[in-house]
Amino acid sequence: MAQSRILNIGLIGAGRIGSSHAQLIARAVPNARLAAVADPVEGAAARLAEELKVDAAYTDIAQLLADPEIDAVVITAPARFHAGLVEQSAAVGKAIFCEKPAGMTLDEIDRVRRAVETHGALFRIGFNRRFADGFPQARAMIDAGHIGTPQLLRSTTRDPGLANPAAVAPWTIFLETLIHDFDTLNFLNPGARAVQVHAVADALVAPDFKDAGLLDTAVVTIRYDNGAIATAEASFSAAYGYDTRAEAFGSAGMVTAGDLAASSLRYYGPAGLAGDTVRADTQSMRGAYTAELQAFTDTALGQPTDGPGVEAAGEALRIALGCIESCGTGAPVTLDIVEAIR
Amino acid sequence: MAQSRILNIGLIGAGRIGSSHAQLIARAVPNARLAAVADPVEGAAARLAEELKVDAAYTDIAQLLADPEIDAVVITAPARFHAGLVEQSAAVGKAIFCEKPAGMTLDEIDRVRRAVETHGALFRIGFNRRFADGFPQARAMIDAGHIGTPQLLRSTTRDPGLANPAAVAPWTIFLETLIHDFDTLNFLNPGARAVQVHAVADALVAPDFKDAGLLDTAVVTIRYDNGAIATAEASFSAAYGYDTRAEAFGSAGMVTAGDLAASSLRYYGPAGLAGDTVRADTQSMRGAYTAELQAFTDTALGQPTDGPGVEAAGEALRIALGCIESCGTGAPVTLDIVEAIR
Amino acid sequence: MAQSRILNIGLIGAGRIGSSHAQLIARAVPNARLAAVADPVEGAAARLAEELKVDAAYTDIAQLLADPEIDAVVITAPARFHAGLVEQSAAVGKAIFCEKPAGMTLDEIDRVRRAVETHGALFRIGFNRRFADGFPQARAMIDAGHIGTPQLLRSTTRDPGLANPAAVAPWTIFLETLIHDFDTLNFLNPGARAVQVHAVADALVAPDFKDAGLLDTAVVTIRYDNGAIATAEASFSAAYGYDTRAEAFGSAGMVTAGDLAASSLRYYGPAGLAGDTVRADTQSMRGAYTAELQAFTDTALGQPTDGPGVEAAGEALRIALGCIESCGTGAPVTLDIVEAIR
Amino acid sequence: MAQSRILNIGLIGAGRIGSSHAQLIARAVPNARLAAVADPVEGAAARLAEELKVDAAYTDIAQLLADPEIDAVVITAPARFHAGLVEQSAAVGKAIFCEKPAGMTLDEIDRVRRAVETHGALFRIGFNRRFADGFPQARAMIDAGHIGTPQLLRSTTRDPGLANPAAVAPWTIFLETLIHDFDTLNFLNPGARAVQVHAVADALVAPDFKDAGLLDTAVVTIRYDNGAIATAEASFSAAYGYDTRAEAFGSAGMVTAGDLAASSLRYYGPAGLAGDTVRADTQSMRGAYTAELQAFTDTALGQPTDGPGVEAAGEALRIALGCIESCGTGAPVTLDIVEAIR
């Protein structure tokens, strides 16, 4: 594989983010080739394959994994299948890019870790914020010492709307939304580990679904072993669009990343100044999605790049699991205990 | 007093903020006159009075209160004397502007409330953020319904440096710094009451003083009875200056207030773009300090204005007291309990 | 006068800008005292004096000038009287702050220069941009060499509206509006002299008044003897308010100054982002007006400050006169010729 | 061709911008295929073709034009060859995307127009600003009436550096750099025609090359037949990077487009605030380059899109030619005369 100039990628899961990643692999990552698509939903893989002129489409994922021409997989199946798919993919020697989370439990993360280590597989997780506009630059400033020791951090994710509250799986806000913020905070506090979390969450967007377990708004406080105190905050419904920002404050300064403006256009009229805002992740994160797939492809082809792996997946997940625990007790949770009980 | 065109003000406490307020009363509030200064520290009142050409300077505060020509007092003494001074001032018919906090305990707030009600005194507390650039405009947008129901709020205060950690009284970060943020959050969530708080605080700026009780960095999570979740955050040492920002997010939109830039100047050179930042409260808050004293003066002279009174003072203090309780238990604290125990 | 701690100022001209300056002298410049107001319009001086509790009000300017207690005059009369009033004031030993322009012709400027030199009078002209937010900081960056040699400059003045086109005196856009920009460009290109100007101007706001000589929109190109090319641009009617910005680009970088936002408030809603804009000069320039009067007062009291004098007044005027000439010929005009013909 | 789903493109000219366009065609425009590259410079086409895995590389452009499988050409040869290449390409039925300028004289533009009309060829010119961040949005605001009647416009292009002043062809600043600004101004003043121009230009970046005819800094004033006055301004050397901004002010408001910041990152430290700036066109214009090639491809494949054609090419060129004339006379030039003399 290292000798090949093009990485043949099989995509597993042809849903919303799968389709988006498929397009980027097919069109925006020059040294990647979308070679196959698999999805158990009848017709889903075929439709996407036809649209992107991909040769192979499977409803049976095993067939994709069995194809020796496939060098790598991009896993965009539902979260509960991630760990199992990683194990299967690693076993047949594929390089693996897996959407977040890598697993739903720390046991699953352990299984992922073992599979990857046993088979020497490349593993990357889709923590896109690490590649988003302003975020890697923020980390570079931190690595260069410009903020000194991190003391106060903040990361926000607000989605533009909640179409179907009934379809939201329990704890989604922690396991699938805020997990980006947990990773962002870990990323912006390099070398430190979260030691305690406290979560406050509610159904403020769709209160009728609270009894059914919906949490659509949350604020999480995280303490790190270097003393830093971080806040992660999410909402499933921002009237103005898609909002992902971060801030890291330390003994020597502060960095901020994330921009709400959709373009450089500004209008000045009788009502004052105005501009458009980012409306969707595919708008502001297109560059990040491309960059993370590019970095994965380059690494798989023998050119090492930085990117989040199993370690980062586990570190973010333990915070998310701590939040679930904290929601139950209503109190702060020490993360060592979360790990001990698995 | 209502007939007079000029309000004769006596200032009690000639320290840093007292001197600043004295100058603004003397020079920037046209219908106010700084008529007397009192400070028990030998020479302090005299020096300030001479500088500002004020006729009367006292070391005995009682003399200032006894002067029938004094219509109003501005209390800038240390916080522990506030409640007592309010009581004395109300008893002799003065209008009262008191720096925050109005009292150190809910009992003191009750004493302040009774004194003010009994004597029909005008009472204003120096919650300057309500008059600071962008903040009243944010509240006006909220009142007009533009953000819908508040869901997520944030307020930050970061001071430019901590000269003498040993001189910081216990719980200062809650009672004197974050109390501004608590009031700001209350102000931006009109009609709602805080019901629970959780504080995480540490000595990250001056860790050597942690054992002596110093807390110089804190993050507080507040739940309101309308469901909103708020974060207040403070540091005693921001390398880039003085940082006061707020954000209120609701079902229909978001407002933000506070600007870190010291001026409109931007420089673009080989290293990129650059600009200066606000370095001190007296730089960015001069307008707010003037406006709050102007509003107080106008009200005292018979022209009603909006401004924070005993109610606001009490609401912010109960959050601060909840924080102190939360620091002790390490857990969230329900504010009704705080009130019950007084 | 140097020994006195307070500067007694007589204001000449109680119109719009006169009233604004009067208030600032009375209230915002601590070591200045508004001692008298004069205006030949019956009642104008008396009204302003009463409002500001000024002791003396005159309809005869000579009376004000004859008052030995008056240390200094602030001239806010119509532009055509400026030079004569400066001569009279200098002759009786007053320090002089004169609104722009100092004169309508280069001969008038010469008369002003001679009067000031003969009597050793302090003379300052009201080029407020030199004291406006961001502009002195821009100059400081230029003085420190951060933009290298100036090459391209720009200054803009846009007024919020044109209430009465019929009342606009001929060439007002050059002599009274753009003269600020000409001075700003001179200020941001220190040591250089304008050598050629080309003006394009029209009545685009009120085209019906074009035949009556109105010019309400103009773009001026200026060449300097250090090679720099500058653009000055003005409109009498900006729908969004009052707009004063400048930009200086050189071999090593660029500085920009001027901000259209009225406050730090930003609103993010379904339509995107929004904020209010500056609506009037008295809103964004209050600090500049205060600062220029403060600098004048300090200098008059013996504490030297920087500020524009006769030289700056003449340099800006020759550009304005070049514009008038250029409008006549439709071609660029060499400024030496303008000066030669006076 | 209309039936085909993929547009086979032949690129003519493998220099800097040709290589950039080649990469975008090969990788970023899904329904385009880079089928051939031609460049008379020995090895240039072959190298680019190999890098991008393009099947055909020619040193003889005629061979590329003779290939019946090639549907369209992208002309990135030196400007003096543009008109001739357009004629040859149109004659053999190719769709044509031509880098600016379409011709060096109005006669060349006429030849381009006749060739395109005679053969019914699709013709697009690479005026990238029409597709750049903020610029189409600005035009949309103008089309929707939000700025009213345009009165004052501005467009700036500043390149990051001038490596080899000796290699700059005469009048490059007008014909190849400012031509973007002339088109931008035309684009932001829809329906209006330039009637008069005045250019001021100099060699301020590399003064030693002035005698050799170098102009590296220029300011152009343009009058339009709707009264609007526009300024176009360029420098070949901006210390902070690549700077393309525009502003359109009218009777009802203003739009601005263009952003100097390279990312959303901001740093706040002891020296104030800081951020990186855009350093190269390939950084900030990548999206614009892709979008203009995408629009061309879609149109060629039967899906009409908006984009600049011969008309826009001619309108911008006549302003550029007017500038050259104006530099000769030192006076404003009426464009009808420019056209009359051809």
Side-chain angles (χ1 to χ4, degrees):
Chain A
M1 189 173 70
Q3 296 91 330
S4 77
R5 297 279 311 278
I6 294 286
L7 190 72
N8 288 304
I9 295 179
L11 180 98
I12 302 173
R16 190 189 80 96
I17 195 70
S19 299
S20 169
H21 281 10
Q23 288 195 31
L24 295 174
I25 295 165
R27 296 171 175 175
V29 182
N31 50 348
R33 177 176 158 260
L34 185 59
V37 178
D39 194 310
V41 174
E42 199 62 48
R47 271 192 301 275
L48 186 58
E50 191 193 350
E51 180 194 333
L52 297 173
K53 307 197 188 312
V54 172
D55 297 332
Y58 306 105
T59 50
D60 182 357
I61 292 164
Q63 287 186 284
L64 185 148
L65 291 175
D67 184 342
E69 291 218 328
I70 303 288
D71 304 314
V73 293
V74 166
I75 300 173
T76 50
R80 65 187 181 281
F81 301 120
H82 287 183
L85 287 167
V86 170
E87 287 180 310
Q88 295 173 53
S89 303
V92 293
K94 311 298 188 200
I96 302 158
F97 181 95
C98 180
E99 259 309 309
K100 46 81 205 169
M104 307 291 271
T105 63
L106 291 177
D107 279 333
E108 286 194 350
I109 294 290
D110 282 345
R111 285 167 45 200
V112 165
R113 182 181 290 111
R114 276 194 299 270
V116 165
E117 287 174 2
T118 302
H119 301 285
L122 171 65
F123 177 87
R124 284 285 169 88
I125 185 162
F127 284 149
N128 51 55
R129 227 60 65 80
R130 292 190 182 220
F131 295 88
D133 171 61
F135 288 74
Q137 293 95 327
R139 169 63 183 264
M141 294 294 283
I142 295 170
D143 284 341
H146 291 303
I147 75 161
T149 305
Q151 294 172 339
L152 291 165
L153 301 110
R154 186 196 190 204
S155 179
T156 302
T157 300
R158 294 175 187 156
D159 285 314
L162 179 55
N164 186 2
V168 177
W171 310 120
T172 292
I173 199 164
F174 299 121
L175 292 169
E176 304 202 32
T177 303
L178 280 163
I179 202 159
H180 279 302
D181 301 282
F182 303 149
D183 180 64
T184 299
L185 295 167
N186 291 341
F187 179 61
L188 297 179
N189 195 7
R193 292 199 81 200
V195 290
Q196 193 181 62
V197 304
H198 176 230
V200 177
D202 206 338
L204 301 180
V205 175
D208 292 350
F209 292 81
K210 187 174 182 179
D211 289 346
L214 181 70
L215 296 174
D216 54 34
T217 306
V219 173
V220 176
T221 311
I222 305 167
R223 292 245 36 197
Y224 281 88
D225 59 6
N226 66 341
I229 312 169
T231 308
E233 179 234 79
S235 166
F236 282 176
S237 183
Y240 52 87
Y242 180 68
D243 180 355
T244 50
R245 287 172 289 150
E247 176 175 318
F249 170 90
S251 55
M254 172 172 70
V255 284
T256 61
D259 189 357
L260 292 173
S263 82
S264 69
L265 178 84
R266 288 297 178 280
Y267 171 65
Y268 301 84
L273 65 90
D276 198 12
T277 41
V278 171
R279 300 297 173 164
D281 65 332
T282 42
Q283 187 179 355
S284 61
M285 286 287 163
R286 192 182 192 280
Y289 293 149
T290 305
E292 65 182 2
L293 291 166
Q294 181 68 65
F296 168 69
T297 298
D298 289 345
T299 307
L301 291 174
Q303 293 197 297
T305 65
D306 279 338
V310 180
E311 200 61 30
E315 289 299 300
L317 183 67
R318 61 199 281 274
I319 299 176
L321 296 175
C323 290
I324 295 172
E325 177 80 7
S326 176
C327 281
T329 64
V333 169
T334 300
L335 290 185
D336 287 345
I337 293 170
V338 172
E339 287 184 86
I341 61 174
R342 298 255 129 187
Chain B
M1 188 171 69
Q3 297 91 328
S4 77
R5 297 281 309 280
I6 295 285
L7 188 73
N8 288 303
I9 295 179
L11 180 98
I12 301 173
R16 190 190 80 97
I17 195 69
S19 298
S20 170
H21 281 10
Q23 288 195 29
L24 295 174
I25 295 164
R27 297 172 175 174
V29 181
N31 51 350
R33 176 176 159 262
L34 186 58
V37 178
D39 194 308
V41 174
E42 199 62 47
R47 270 191 301 274
L48 185 58
E50 190 193 351
E51 179 194 335
L52 297 172
K53 305 195 188 317
V54 173
D55 297 333
Y58 305 105
T59 49
D60 182 358
I61 293 164
Q63 288 187 286
L64 184 148
L65 291 175
D67 184 342
E69 291 218 329
I70 303 288
D71 303 313
V73 293
V74 167
I75 299 173
T76 48
R80 66 188 182 279
F81 301 120
H82 287 183
L85 287 167
V86 171
E87 288 181 311
Q88 296 173 53
S89 302
V92 293
K94 311 299 188 199
I96 301 158
F97 180 95
C98 181
E99 260 309 308
K100 46 81 203 170
M104 307 290 273
T105 64
L106 291 177
D107 279 333
E108 285 194 351
I109 295 289
D110 281 345
R111 285 166 45 199
V112 164
R113 182 181 290 110
R114 277 195 300 272
V116 165
E117 286 174 3
T118 302
H119 302 286
L122 169 65
F123 178 85
R124 285 283 169 87
I125 184 162
F127 284 150
N128 52 54
R129 226 63 62 83
R130 293 191 180 219
F131 295 88
D133 171 60
F135 289 73
Q137 295 95 328
R139 168 62 184 264
M141 294 294 284
I142 294 169
D143 284 342
H146 292 301
I147 74 160
T149 306
Q151 294 171 339
L152 291 166
L153 302 110
R154 186 198 192 204
S155 179
T156 302
T157 300
R158 295 177 187 154
D159 284 314
L162 179 55
N164 185 4
V168 177
W171 310 119
T172 292
I173 199 164
F174 300 120
L175 291 170
E176 304 202 32
T177 303
L178 280 163
I179 202 158
H180 279 300
D181 300 281
F182 303 148
D183 179 63
T184 299
L185 295 167
N186 290 341
F187 179 61
L188 298 179
N189 195 7
R193 290 199 83 201
V195 291
Q196 194 182 61
V197 305
H198 176 230
V200 177
D202 207 338
L204 302 180
V205 175
D208 292 351
F209 293 81
K210 188 173 180 179
D211 289 346
L214 180 70
L215 297 174
D216 54 35
T217 306
V219 173
V220 176
T221 311
I222 306 167
R223 293 245 35 196
Y224 281 88
D225 60 6
N226 67 341
I229 311 168
T231 308
E233 179 234 79
S235 166
F236 282 175
S237 183
Y240 52 87
Y242 181 67
D243 179 354
T244 52
R245 287 173 290 149
E247 176 175 317
F249 170 90
S251 55
M254 171 173 70
V255 284
T256 60
D259 188 358
L260 292 173
S263 83
S264 68
L265 177 84
R266 288 297 178 279
Y267 171 65
Y268 301 84
L273 66 88
D276 198 13
T277 42
V278 171
R279 301 295 173 165
D281 66 331
T282 41
Q283 187 179 356
S284 63
M285 286 289 164
R286 193 182 190 280
Y289 292 148
T290 304
E292 67 182 1
L293 291 166
Q294 182 68 67
F296 168 70
T297 299
D298 289 345
T299 307
L301 291 174
Q303 293 196 297
T305 64
D306 279 339
V310 179
E311 201 62 29
E315 289 299 301
L317 183 67
R318 60 198 281 275
I319 299 176
L321 296 175
C323 290
I324 295 171
E325 178 80 9
S326 176
C327 281
T329 65
V333 169
T334 301
L335 290 183
D336 286 347
I337 293 171
V338 172
E339 287 185 86
I341 61 174
R342 298 250 132 193
Chain C
M1 189 173 68
Q3 296 91 330
S4 77
R5 297 281 311 278
I6 295 286
L7 189 73
N8 287 304
I9 295 179
L11 180 98
I12 302 174
R16 190 191 79 96
I17 195 69
S19 299
S20 170
H21 281 10
Q23 287 194 32
L24 296 174
I25 295 164
R27 296 173 176 173
V29 181
N31 50 350
R33 177 177 159 260
L34 185 59
V37 178
D39 193 308
V41 174
E42 199 62 47
R47 270 193 301 275
L48 186 58
E50 191 193 352
E51 181 195 333
L52 297 172
K53 307 197 187 313
V54 172
D55 297 332
Y58 306 104
T59 50
D60 182 358
I61 292 163
Q63 288 186 283
L64 185 147
L65 291 175
D67 184 343
E69 291 219 329
I70 302 288
D71 303 312
V73 292
V74 167
I75 300 173
T76 49
R80 66 188 181 279
F81 301 120
H82 287 182
L85 287 168
V86 170
E87 288 180 310
Q88 295 173 54
S89 302
V92 294
K94 310 298 188 199
I96 302 158
F97 181 96
C98 181
E99 259 310 309
K100 46 81 208 170
M104 308 291 270
T105 63
L106 291 177
D107 279 333
E108 286 195 350
I109 295 289
D110 282 345
R111 285 167 45 201
V112 164
R113 182 181 290 112
R114 277 194 299 271
V116 166
E117 286 174 4
T118 302
H119 301 285
L122 170 65
F123 177 86
R124 284 286 167 87
I125 185 161
F127 285 149
N128 52 55
R129 226 62 63 83
R130 293 191 180 218
F131 296 88
D133 171 61
F135 289 73
Q137 294 95 329
R139 168 64 183 265
M141 293 294 285
I142 293 169
D143 284 342
H146 291 302
I147 75 161
T149 305
Q151 294 172 339
L152 292 166
L153 301 109
R154 187 198 191 203
S155 179
T156 302
T157 300
R158 296 177 187 155
D159 284 315
L162 178 55
N164 185 3
V168 177
W171 311 118
T172 293
I173 200 164
F174 299 120
L175 291 169
E176 304 203 31
T177 303
L178 280 162
I179 202 159
H180 279 302
D181 301 281
F182 303 149
D183 180 63
T184 300
L185 295 167
N186 290 342
F187 179 60
L188 297 179
N189 195 7
R193 290 199 83 199
V195 290
Q196 194 182 61
V197 303
H198 176 231
V200 178
D202 206 339
L204 301 181
V205 175
D208 292 351
F209 292 82
K210 186 173 181 178
D211 290 346
L214 180 70
L215 297 173
D216 54 34
T217 307
V219 173
V220 176
T221 311
I222 306 167
R223 293 247 32 199
Y224 281 89
D225 59 7
N226 66 341
I229 311 168
T231 309
E233 180 234 78
S235 167
F236 282 175
S237 183
Y240 53 87
Y242 180 68
D243 180 354
T244 50
R245 287 172 289 150
E247 176 175 317
F249 169 90
S251 55
M254 171 174 68
V255 284
T256 61
D259 189 358
L260 293 172
S263 82
S264 69
L265 178 83
R266 289 297 178 279
Y267 171 64
Y268 302 84
L273 66 89
D276 198 12
T277 41
V278 171
R279 301 296 173 164
D281 65 331
T282 41
Q283 187 179 355
S284 62
M285 285 289 164
R286 192 182 191 282
Y289 292 148
T290 306
E292 66 182 2
L293 291 166
Q294 181 69 65
F296 168 70
T297 299
D298 289 345
T299 307
L301 290 174
Q303 293 196 297
T305 65
D306 279 339
V310 180
E311 200 62 31
E315 289 298 300
L317 183 67
R318 61 199 280 274
I319 299 176
L321 296 174
C323 290
I324 295 172
E325 178 80 8
S326 176
C327 281
T329 63
V333 170
T334 301
L335 291 184
D336 286 346
I337 294 169
V338 172
E339 287 184 85
I341 62 174
R342 299 253 131 189
Chain D
M1 190 173 68
Q3 297 92 325
S4 77
R5 297 280 311 279
I6 294 285
L7 189 73
N8 288 304
I9 294 179
L11 180 99
I12 302 173
R16 190 190 79 96
I17 195 69
S19 299
S20 170
H21 281 10
Q23 288 195 30
L24 296 173
I25 296 164
R27 297 171 174 174
V29 182
N31 50 350
R33 178 177 158 262
L34 185 59
V37 178
D39 194 309
V41 173
E42 199 62 48
R47 271 192 300 274
L48 186 58
E50 190 193 351
E51 180 194 333
L52 298 173
K53 305 196 187 313
V54 173
D55 296 333
Y58 306 105
T59 49
D60 181 357
I61 292 164
Q63 287 186 283
L64 184 148
L65 292 174
D67 184 343
E69 291 217 329
I70 302 287
D71 303 313
V73 293
V74 166
I75 299 173
T76 49
R80 66 188 181 280
F81 301 119
H82 286 184
L85 287 168
V86 170
E87 287 181 310
Q88 295 174 53
S89 302
V92 293
K94 311 297 189 200
I96 301 157
F97 181 96
C98 180
E99 260 310 308
K100 45 83 204 168
M104 307 291 272
T105 65
L106 291 177
D107 279 332
E108 285 194 351
I109 294 289
D110 282 343
R111 285 166 47 200
V112 165
R113 182 182 290 110
R114 277 194 300 272
V116 165
E117 285 174 3
T118 302
H119 302 286
L122 170 65
F123 178 85
R124 285 285 169 87
I125 185 162
F127 284 150
N128 52 54
R129 226 61 63 82
R130 293 190 182 221
F131 295 88
D133 171 60
F135 288 74
Q137 295 95 329
R139 169 62 183 263
M141 294 294 285
I142 294 168
D143 284 342
H146 291 302
I147 75 160
T149 305
Q151 295 172 339
L152 291 166
L153 301 109
R154 184 197 192 204
S155 180
T156 302
T157 300
R158 295 177 188 156
D159 285 314
L162 178 55
N164 186 2
V168 177
W171 311 119
T172 292
I173 199 164
F174 300 120
L175 292 170
E176 305 202 32
T177 302
L178 280 163
I179 202 158
H180 279 301
D181 300 283
F182 302 149
D183 180 63
T184 299
L185 295 167
N186 291 341
F187 179 61
L188 297 179
N189 195 8
R193 290 199 82 200
V195 291
Q196 194 182 61
V197 305
H198 175 230
V200 178
D202 207 338
L204 301 180
V205 175
D208 291 350
F209 293 82
K210 188 173 180 179
D211 289 346
L214 180 70
L215 297 174
D216 55 35
T217 306
V219 172
V220 176
T221 311
I222 306 167
R223 292 247 33 198
Y224 281 89
D225 59 7
N226 67 342
I229 311 168
T231 308
E233 179 234 79
S235 166
F236 282 176
S237 184
Y240 52 88
Y242 181 67
D243 180 355
T244 51
R245 287 172 290 149
E247 177 175 318
F249 170 90
S251 56
M254 170 174 69
V255 284
T256 60
D259 189 358
L260 292 173
S263 83
S264 68
L265 178 84
R266 288 297 177 281
Y267 171 65
Y268 301 84
L273 66 87
D276 198 13
T277 42
V278 170
R279 301 295 173 167
D281 66 331
T282 42
Q283 187 180 356
S284 62
M285 285 288 164
R286 193 182 191 281
Y289 292 148
T290 305
E292 66 181 3
L293 292 167
Q294 181 69 65
F296 168 69
T297 299
D298 289 345
T299 307
L301 291 174
Q303 293 196 297
T305 64
D306 279 340
V310 180
E311 200 63 29
E315 289 298 302
L317 184 67
R318 62 198 279 275
I319 299 176
L321 295 174
C323 290
I324 294 171
E325 177 80 8
S326 176
C327 280
T329 65
V333 170
T334 301
L335 290 184
D336 287 346
I337 294 171
V338 172
E339 287 183 86
I341 61 173
R342 299 253 129 190

